[in-house]
Amino acid sequence: MSKVITFGEIMLRLAPEGYLRFVQASSFQALYGGGEANVAIALANFGIDAAFVTRLPPHEIGQAALNSLRHYGVDTTCIVRGGERLGIYYLEKGASQRASKVIYDRAGSSIATARKEDFDWEAIFEGASWFHFTGISPALGDNVAEICAQALGAAKAKGLKTSCDLNYRRNLWSREKAQEVMSRLMPQVDLCIANEEDASDVFGIKAKGSDVSQGSLDHGGYQEVAQTLAERFGFSQVAITLRESISANDNNWAAMLYDGRDFHFSKKYSIHIVDRVGGGDSFGAGLIYAQLQGWPLKEGLEFAVAASCLKHSIEGDYNLVSVQEAQALAGGDASGRVQR
Amino acid sequence: MSKVITFGEIMLRLAPEGYLRFVQASSFQALYGGGEANVAIALANFGIDAAFVTRLPPHEIGQAALNSLRHYGVDTTCIVRGGERLGIYYLEKGASQRASKVIYDRAGSSIATARKEDFDWEAIFEGASWFHFTGISPALGDNVAEICAQALGAAKAKGLKTSCDLNYRRNLWSREKAQEVMSRLMPQVDLCIANEEDASDVFGIKAKGSDVSQGSLDHGGYQEVAQTLAERFGFSQVAITLRESISANDNNWAAMLYDGRDFHFSKKYSIHIVDRVGGGDSFGAGLIYAQLQGWPLKEGLEFAVAASCLKHSIEGDYNLVSVQEAQALAGGDASGRVQR
Amino acid sequence: MSKVITFGEIMLRLAPEGYLRFVQASSFQALYGGGEANVAIALANFGIDAAFVTRLPPHEIGQAALNSLRHYGVDTTCIVRGGERLGIYYLEKGASQRASKVIYDRAGSSIATARKEDFDWEAIFEGASWFHFTGISPALGDNVAEICAQALGAAKAKGLKTSCDLNYRRNLWSREKAQEVMSRLMPQVDLCIANEEDASDVFGIKAKGSDVSQGSLDHGGYQEVAQTLAERFGFSQVAITLRESISANDNNWAAMLYDGRDFHFSKKYSIHIVDRVGGGDSFGAGLIYAQLQGWPLKEGLEFAVAASCLKHSIEGDYNLVSVQEAQALAGGDASGRVQR
Amino acid sequence: MSKVITFGEIMLRLAPEGYLRFVQASSFQALYGGGEANVAIALANFGIDAAFVTRLPPHEIGQAALNSLRHYGVDTTCIVRGGERLGIYYLEKGASQRASKVIYDRAGSSIATARKEDFDWEAIFEGASWFHFTGISPALGDNVAEICAQALGAAKAKGLKTSCDLNYRRNLWSREKAQEVMSRLMPQVDLCIANEEDASDVFGIKAKGSDVSQGSLDHGGYQEVAQTLAERFGFSQVAITLRESISANDNNWAAMLYDGRDFHFSKKYSIHIVDRVGGGDSFGAGLIYAQLQGWPLKEGLEFAVAASCLKHSIEGDYNLVSVQEAQALAGGDASGRVQR
Amino acid sequence: MSKVITFGEIMLRLAPEGYLRFVQASSFQALYGGGEANVAIALANFGIDAAFVTRLPPHEIGQAALNSLRHYGVDTTCIVRGGERLGIYYLEKGASQRASKVIYDRAGSSIATARKEDFDWEAIFEGASWFHFTGISPALGDNVAEICAQALGAAKAKGLKTSCDLNYRRNLWSREKAQEVMSRLMPQVDLCIANEEDASDVFGIKAKGSDVSQGSLDHGGYQEVAQTLAERFGFSQVAITLRESISANDNNWAAMLYDGRDFHFSKKYSIHIVDRVGGGDSFGAGLIYAQLQGWPLKEGLEFAVAASCLKHSIEGDYNLVSVQEAQALAGGDASGRVQR
Amino acid sequence: MSKVITFGEIMLRLAPEGYLRFVQASSFQALYGGGEANVAIALANFGIDAAFVTRLPPHEIGQAALNSLRHYGVDTTCIVRGGERLGIYYLEKGASQRASKVIYDRAGSSIATARKEDFDWEAIFEGASWFHFTGISPALGDNVAEICAQALGAAKAKGLKTSCDLNYRRNLWSREKAQEVMSRLMPQVDLCIANEEDASDVFGIKAKGSDVSQGSLDHGGYQEVAQTLAERFGFSQVAITLRESISANDNNWAAMLYDGRDFHFSKKYSIHIVDRVGGGDSFGAGLIYAQLQGWPLKEGLEFAVAASCLKHSIEGDYNLVSVQEAQALAGGDASGRVQR
């Protein structure tokens, strides 16, 4: 059985109940999440042996984050304990014309203050076949960027496939800094995943004729973007998620996959949103799963889009769907009829 | 005043909060429901003297189920106490493309282990004018099928009108067994209620040109189904609910009624779903109410569809709407404007 | 900085959780609200110095209402303590075809039993530039109508701008009584705000060709209504909110503003409703804010409609949005994309 | 089987969660209760046919109160619908040295505005054997006092036993008024129930050497009080509950019963309180039950004290214990060991 | 590192919130627990490699039980999936004189319907050093008793230490049946754990001069019981927990350990109870831990009693305390001072 | 009227529900608190004009903290907005022998990164009569210690009375550092408040013959400590709270006050704890209030102890009691009888 390693930050996610605004909250739903942890969870739900690597504070709040991973079957034995705090993000769920809002409070977290010596990648990658990380990790600081570089080097040396979700976060670093750091890491990445804005934000590669804030997308433009990315960094595949935001409650969702030769476009789903955080991560996990199974690219893409479509109906960052559920949707049953 | 008797199983319904998946739940909303209990509740809300007959365990969980009926004014004095357990169904509410999921844990319940001697139908039907049950009860076991047969016989002997909602449940019995048992009971039934799949599942009577999993429905096909049912079993009326599943959140809802001569089709409602469990039961209750009032068939059908449309906006199995509310909707006010 | 005074009743709002019906509730969400209090809160959120004037019972339930105002920065120093009880309204949130329901229990409240001597309008209006009230206050009783008249007189004497939201409540007074009392107060009002029914209910001024219960609205008709109102009472401006009720979950929302010469019509928003109570109040607050800023009328109208559109996405009576959020929506970003 | 009728007011009880103060509450637990309703519920739980008589508003809040009675098996068929509002009491649960706090908002309730013609006592008492009310009802107004007098007259005429719990409420009437009104009603009462303060508050009959606010009680003093009461009004029995308040969490609880000849004193229980509201009512219900069973007085007293001891461990006004549970405690098992 | 295997049933535990009675519940807290699962959890919290063996239904409710174990680090890889249902126990938390109440609904569970072939004990015990089970498992049926016998045989054959908590459950089997079956299993058990009633219930060995329902315990009597047990079955150690029930809120807690020569008595703790379910299991886990560490018997006993004392302060069946916390209490710090 | 200024940090307080451990939490109650903020709230509840000075991040989480102060009437107009984050403390409530646990996550908060220029003490102290801070503030960093020094200097220059609660926090600084910094600040302080450990921790002044972890306290020892403190730093008064920890649920609570000549000892209260955080702060507020009223020292001390005794019965950091409530307890009514 194949084993997947993901590396990054897991945070405490504090969200007011329902659609309450931050200033109305007298309690916070306490969940955990983060790009790479979300990928590990989704893969574990698909039955994959998935390990998440990070650094967590030794206290009970760190332990609670670790337990949330263990709960869903993620291998946590490579997690290092140390540092002072667990990063936090506050999430206010939007509705209708009111957008969701995220306030990050992640500076000084245990992973952001980690050192290279904390991780023994040789040992971590023992028996593994895939390594995944996102652009958030190198944005946490030069030390973490360096850890990513080390991990990537070790992964390629051991023959693992590698994937990276660009995931640009403007509040963590500037576009210039992102471009500089990511450009150094990308040549070691096989599969590049991006949303409709990342390529432009990180590498200045812009899809012509699209305005994401208006929810209009142009297929031709994205083909161009994918091709440019693949050429510049030598990715064997580039996947781009295509989100059309109608309102905070309603989005359209699809994706494309470029394999250096062909452009595959998925079905498009109209989604009534329960929780859209982690939508992109669940797409990445779907792609990785499909490739580990050796499925044809188009079938894998449809699986990944269906799996991530379902993610939007699930509370929290984590995608808790089975392979069968994603396949049923990809296969055409979107009616939501009661299953008894 | 007319009195209605319904007979069947009431279960504890355990559902995670909101749209949480089963594996995310740290608590369950605890409600009670079951096809025939739901009909009794709906009728009691319409002001009808409705009694529900079943067998419940003597402990407090059984008592809680009984109290839930008493709460809404259902006559529980004919409920027998005995046996070991209350049946349970776990309900996970779906959203968007993710379907709702039901896990039954009803084997060995007090009603499933009941014996004929537990019920004195002569006494129960004293002063009653209508008897209703569903296809779920005979599916609980040969003993319960036999109890249904006895009840039907006693009902007809005393001159009651009888109705049955086919309600096929594949996890309780096979189609073959269902057909065999139900075919024996049906000749004593006056009003047959079915959804778009039941006739096919139970009696192999299939509407041509319809594919319910695709949400497409064909009026002509259902006319054919109703006619075939009426002819085969001698029903004086056949009612079929017509659900189109757009997603787990959005359904269209309508119904038809065949009286042996005419086919009446109701208005169709586009529903944003709060809870669709019990939708069919509330339709049945609406039909029974209308017939007890002696309303014209078309008016009764529109009333029943409006009442059951409103059910979809109410949490739990029970339809808690008044005659006035259902009539207002049937009469055309679907705007949902605040009533002060 | 300008200071706004609003006067009226604040009530305890008791609502079952989620979409539960009254008869299903085992707890009530406890919030506070009332037309003029809502306006004060919205203005305080816009950064305006806003004071709310009322009379509250001296006990802790009265204090809790006062604290809810203080929480969001409203000046409560002119609130008088006395009387026996805080008015209550019970709110059942509707869904789909089922309408929201309000049960008022406000008779005998501290404000309804207030006397003229309770308020020293000279002192209250010191330093203020705007006075706002609604048609609910004079409906509470002749004593409160008299207090409104006194306040209006003192406001005009001190050179304040005045505004009134007609807000007809049929359970508080008859149309005849409303017309009689309101006709006496209106000549001292500069800005008149109404919804699509108020003008007809209070003054018998009906928009031709519209049937609000059907959700159809006719622009020409409203122009006529606004013009008639302005002419009859000498309002310098008349604003009318235009709500189209598709269902309890979905409304369209827009407004018009007539300045004695031009008719300005705003954009129309399709809203997925979280809570529509206080929608009109938040519109009024938006208009007042815009006029205090000296914005052009059309820009102010769009701001007010955007602010009140956002209100529909917020739980409770109070509009908790910032000027920036309302401006962003008015400026065109309605996509609800996550803000990180 | 014997049937008991109780008459009085049932209120909506709004309490913050746990030990929160009123000013901290963002929701209220919504329960229902009132002296005489509590007695009916307790009796229904003992298996007695108990009917509660009152007047409730026709809206859903009134219906919810009625449903809460039906839930536990109380006969609600004699409840009259009419009037405007359901009385409310706000309850803040105390802890340690901080006392519980009750704010009444019951003026103008449907029962307080009832008229004599609303109740047909001849019909209500058909088949009944006991009538119970408390001193709260006549305190609601002269109209309600008059209704009590009528009911008492009809009860005695039909040969029912009658009981009254003095239950003095200082915020409803003065001691003078109470003494005047109650003195007129008492001669028709067989069993008088009082707590350690009532006799003094209502009739100025004071136990020597006791200071209830200090929690010290003197048996001799209470004997004297009981004797004086019996002599003055001709009660066949006088029961007095003896509460020693150590803190808001800890009380001692016992009672005495005087039958005109002997003084019976019960065991004393040290109680860790969950909810002490309705403690006295559950004692009264226990006494009535024991007398209907024809138990010896001492045994009945111990039963009543045990039942009401258990009430203190139950959330809400209602005593939800079975005869068996109360008997087991009266019989000596106070260890609270798990029952599997 | 030593590895411990425990075998038995894990159930869904459904409990009303706080101190609500079953008939008051509108939701259930959903936790998981069972004697042997509780021991595994406690050991995992102590840092021990602990595996729990059982059979769980393949559906999501079974998965949720499994996840609850994984959450706290228990090895679940030997759990077999099959059968129809997860056993349930309903728990009503008592207070003051009102006892806690447990209603079992465990018949037909996946483990109760397991067959010998489901478990490969050779493989399961690979690398393990201790096997633990309780008297509940053989009570589930002859098949499960047989599985226990097999497991015990395999454990002894592989040189593991074995322990059994007698845990008599009267609703699962008669005393006679228990004695017969347990007598066959005991000779393979090294450490026998019992509470103050088990020895009497299962083997008719009664401590003289004690009456547990009165909370009085006699040290001498328990010495006699332990000695008799050790002699009859050849246990190398016998441990007995000594609970004194003052009320449902307050218990005293201690234990004794007999090693064939000496009787060790622990300190006695006065406990204010949060949740006493699993108290005995956490004591067993403490003993096992201490013995794996090779601690002196008295020190181990004090550790086990301290750990299980702390369990009473923790919600749910699971003991979630660290070795350090238990040691600190055993070492004398019982003041409960805030740890910052 | 006198005005009090307090300065320090306010944090978000995240606590699991009820007695859940951190690792069991799926939500956190979200309250706000901090030593000096707590004092301001308590004073505002006593009717004092109290202002809290701090620096809060400009985002909504900072706003929520500010609103919580405004809610209870604290003047927040001197609060500076800036910096990145709101400090957090996680609170796990202990029970019985299990201690409460606090995990601080406050590094890098807006107040910890404040600069001297952020506060204009001249303006802040305009019209004020008292300045209060605690030893936590200088522990946040040299910058904050410097701000405290500035504030103290300005306060004394303007003739304000000053008070400081030593409040040693070992995780913020070493004893050596604390002694050095605090020794510089103390000479400007009039009233010194300490708990039973602070004097020893901060200044190495130890009460002979007491061992706080054992809950034993020696009056003579504390007299000595108070005298030594007063002599070393010239305090006009020294107050020491005397807590005896019986368990996490039960504490005894008293205090002494030394005025340079006499030692006043208060009554001692046995408290059943709801929430003990902020107990010391509420005592300080009581003392300040009493002195502003000019009450005799012994009366003021009893008031402060009674007020802080009541704090232990209130959820959250904030003491929400009125002057009347504290006086009633100080006057002797500790029975917790219901107040209607």
Side-chain angles (χ1 to χ4, degrees), chain B residues 44-56:
Chain B
N45 267 284
F46 292 154
I48 292 290
D49 185 2
F52 177 61
V53 181
T54 192
R55 184 163 174 259
L56 287 176

Side-chain angles (χ1 to χ4, degrees), chain E:
Chain E
M1 196 173 106
S2 24
K3 175 161 189 179
V4 178
I5 309 294
T6 78
F7 166 75
E9 178 163 25
I10 184 169
M11 292 174 284
L12 170 59
R13 160 188 156 144
L14 295 173
E17 277 183 64
Y19 292 112
L20 291 185
R21 300 218 76 173
F22 284 133
V23 293
Q24 297 177 294
S26 60
S27 69
F28 289 123
Q29 183 194 41
L31 296 173
Y32 299 88
E36 304 88 349
N38 301 347
V39 169
I41 290 274
L43 287 167
N45 267 284
F46 292 155
I48 293 289
D49 184 2
F52 177 62
V53 180
T54 193
R55 185 164 174 259
L56 287 175
H59 56 52
E60 285 94 335
I61 306 302
Q63 187 63 38
L66 189 151
N67 288 359
S68 81
L69 294 160
R70 225 157 47 173
H71 191 93
Y72 293 111
V74 169
D75 178 348
T76 58
T77 53
C78 297
I79 291 178
V80 176
R81 303 301 287 272
E84 299 292 334
R85 68 182 300 256
L86 187 71
I88 291 173
Y89 81 94
Y90 297 94
L91 171 67
E92 181 184 275
K93 200 174 280 189
S96 208
Q97 285 81 2
R98 178 167 61 82
S100 290
K101 216 165 201 174
V102 170
I103 296 176
Y104 286 107
D105 178 15
R106 62 200 303 177
S109 72
S110 289
I111 182 63
T113 56
R115 293 160 312 152
K116 278 191 300 184
E117 304 79 60
D118 286 326
F119 304 99
D120 176 356
W121 292 107
E122 275 298 311
I124 292 168
F125 287 142
E126 195 57 48
S129 45
W130 196 291
F131 174 63
H132 176 81
F133 75 113
T134 82
I136 297 171
S137 295
L140 296 177
D142 288 341
N143 53 333
V144 189
E146 183 60 26
I147 292 169
C148 290
Q150 276 204 322
L152 271 175
K156 295 315 294 180
K158 274 190 117 73
L160 280 73
K161 287 269 193 178
T162 59
S163 54
C164 177
D165 187 331
L166 296 185
N167 250 344
Y168 178 68
R169 291 286 181 271
R170 99 185 78 171
N171 58 327
L172 287 178
W173 54 1
S174 68
R175 296 181 179 202
E176 294 67 34
K177 176 78 177 178
Q179 175 152 10
E180 177 213 320
V181 172
M182 293 297 277
S183 294
R184 265 188 285 128
L185 298 172
M186 289 305 98
Q188 308 232 55
V189 167
D190 298 309
L191 167 60
C192 173
I193 303 164
N195 69 22
E196 67 281 14
E197 299 179 274
D198 287 330
S200 159
D201 285 339
V202 180
F203 300 117
I205 302 171
K206 211 176 162 70
K208 288 170 193 151
S210 76
D211 179 350
V212 294
S213 71
Q214 294 305 317
S216 79
L217 296 166
D218 171 299
H219 276 196
Y222 286 112
Q223 294 180 354
E224 197 189 317
V225 167
Q227 216 162 2
T228 311
L229 278 169
E231 281 163 9
R232 190 176 303 173
F233 299 110
F235 301 127
S236 56
Q237 295 178 20
V238 175
I240 302 184
T241 54
L242 308 172
R243 182 187 298 278
E244 295 169 0
S245 293
I246 288 112
S247 77
N249 296 116
D250 292 285
N251 279 192
N252 293 332
W253 180 249
M256 64 151 286
L257 179 62
Y258 173 61
D259 60 6
R261 211 182 53 189
D262 295 321
F263 299 96
H264 306 276
F265 281 89
S266 78
K267 275 190 281 193
K268 182 160 83 176
Y269 295 95
S270 293
I271 305 180
H272 190 78
I273 294 175
V274 170
D275 188 333
R276 54 140 292 177
V277 181
D281 304 321
S282 62
F283 170 74
L287 275 192
I288 294 169
Y289 180 79
Q291 304 215 353
L292 290 172
Q293 303 303 325
W295 291 350
L297 289 184
K298 181 59 164 55
E299 184 184 341
L301 176 68
E302 291 292 0
F303 175 82
V305 173
S308 51
C309 167
L310 289 171
K311 164 62 201 70
H312 291 76
S313 75
I314 294 172
E315 195 77 25
D317 278 45
Y318 295 164
N319 195 19
L320 306 172
V321 303
S322 66
V323 170
Q324 292 68 30
E325 290 172 320
Q327 283 182 318
L329 177 55
D333 185 2
S335 69
R337 294 176 69 87
V338 180
Q339 299 184 350
R340 298 185 201 252

Side-chain angles (χ1 to χ4, degrees), chain A residues 317-333:
Chain A
D317 278 47
Y318 296 164
N319 195 19
L320 305 172
V321 302
S322 66
V323 170
Q324 291 69 28
E325 291 173 319
Q327 283 181 317
L329 177 55
D333 185 2

Side-chain angles (χ1 to χ4, degrees), chain C residues 264-321:
Chain C
H264 307 275
F265 281 89
S266 78
K267 274 190 280 193
K268 180 160 84 175
Y269 295 95
S270 292
I271 305 180
H272 189 78
I273 294 176
V274 170
D275 188 333
R276 55 141 289 180
V277 181
D281 305 320
S282 62
F283 170 74
L287 274 192
I288 295 170
Y289 180 79
Q291 305 215 351
L292 290 171
Q293 304 303 330
W295 291 350
L297 288 185
K298 180 59 162 56
E299 183 184 342
L301 175 68
E302 291 292 359
F303 175 82
V305 172
S308 52
C309 168
L310 289 171
K311 164 61 200 72
H312 290 75
S313 75
I314 294 172
E315 195 75 27
D317 278 46
Y318 296 163
N319 194 19
L320 305 172
V321 302

Side-chain angles (χ1 to χ4, degrees), chain D residues 7 53 55 80 110-122 124 142-151:
Chain D
F7 166 75
V53 181
R55 184 164 175 259
V80 175
S110 288
I111 181 64
T113 56
R115 294 160 312 152
K116 280 190 299 182
E117 304 79 60
D118 287 324
F119 304 98
D120 175 357
W121 292 106
E122 275 297 313
I124 291 168
D142 288 340
N143 52 333
V144 189
E146 183 60 25
I147 292 170
C148 291
Q150 277 204 319

